[in-house]
Amino acid sequence: MPDGSFDRSRYQSWPTYITAAQFTRKQSPVPVAYVRGSQEYQNYHADTLANWDIREGNTHNSDRAKAVFIDALKGIQEAASNVVQHSVEIATVSVPHHFNDSSKDAVTEAFKEVEPSYRQYWQVIRSVVATRLAYGLHNCEAFGLSRETCNIDDGPHYMIVVEYRETYLQLFIADVAADTCNIISSARYTDLGENAILDVPNTNRVGKMQKLLQNDDLDTTTTTTMNNHYANIQDTLSNFLAKH
């Protein structure tokens, strides 16, 4: 079953940074400055990670969230200005892909107040789209098609994205165009991470991974664990797709 619960303290201790980058004349992104977010900013991220599966609705105090993001945007804008020795405008803000609609709206409202240049809704985009635009990742090429002749902007075109981590498996349904990737649904399964096959008693983690990759001299217990694990993943994937 999908499980949205997290150990909140695990994420509270992670440093969370805000980064500013500018594009060169060749349209290459160059990092300019970064600042560490305030403790309240980090707490907000921890809370949203713990409630990743709530895609809509106001799960946080919107005014307080807006104030947190105003401070963050002003901080990174000042840091970037100090580096380049002149005032800078914020053209685009990216938000984590796990932010729900109310969190994204809080960022947008903060952006409007900090930056008079805000004009269009697309100036606030999710990080997965920002990454693809910044590094020139093109979905046509990912599908093995020519960038010059491929046209997939008229959709929808659905893609399944799999994120396989130590502590969870997360599945996404995305609607993709040539340069963008919009997550429209997701589910996280905390019992299907790689720890399910790596955390076997009396084994070394690195050694176990090497054996798994090489499929070399695996004991019966490990082989059974792996087969069951991957069978569970296949069943989960099939059920997830059937619901969408």
Side-chain angles (χ1 to χ4, degrees), residues 75 89 111 130 151 180 240 242:
E89 292 183 351
F111 187 11
N151 181 6
T180 61
F240 177 75

Side-chain angles (χ1 to χ4, degrees), residues 19-78:
T19 304
Q22 66 178 9
F23 281 86
T24 66
R25 292 181 178 178
K26 295 182 178 180
Q27 297 301 306
S28 298
V30 178
V32 174
Y34 70 91
V35 295
R36 182 170 182 168
S38 66
Q39 188 59 56
E40 191 170 9
Y41 180 87
Q42 294 181 51
N43 289 343
Y44 188 89
H45 276 264
D47 287 338
T48 53
L49 280 168
N51 294 283
W52 65 270
D53 57 336
I54 304 176
R55 302 301 300 172
E56 297 180 355
N58 188 5
T59 59
H60 302 87
N61 182 289
S62 58
D63 290 337
R64 189 61 213 149
K66 176 182 174 181
V68 169
F69 291 122
I70 286 175
D71 289 342
L73 291 174
K74 285 183 176 179
I76 190 58
Q77 188 175 39
E78 180 180 358

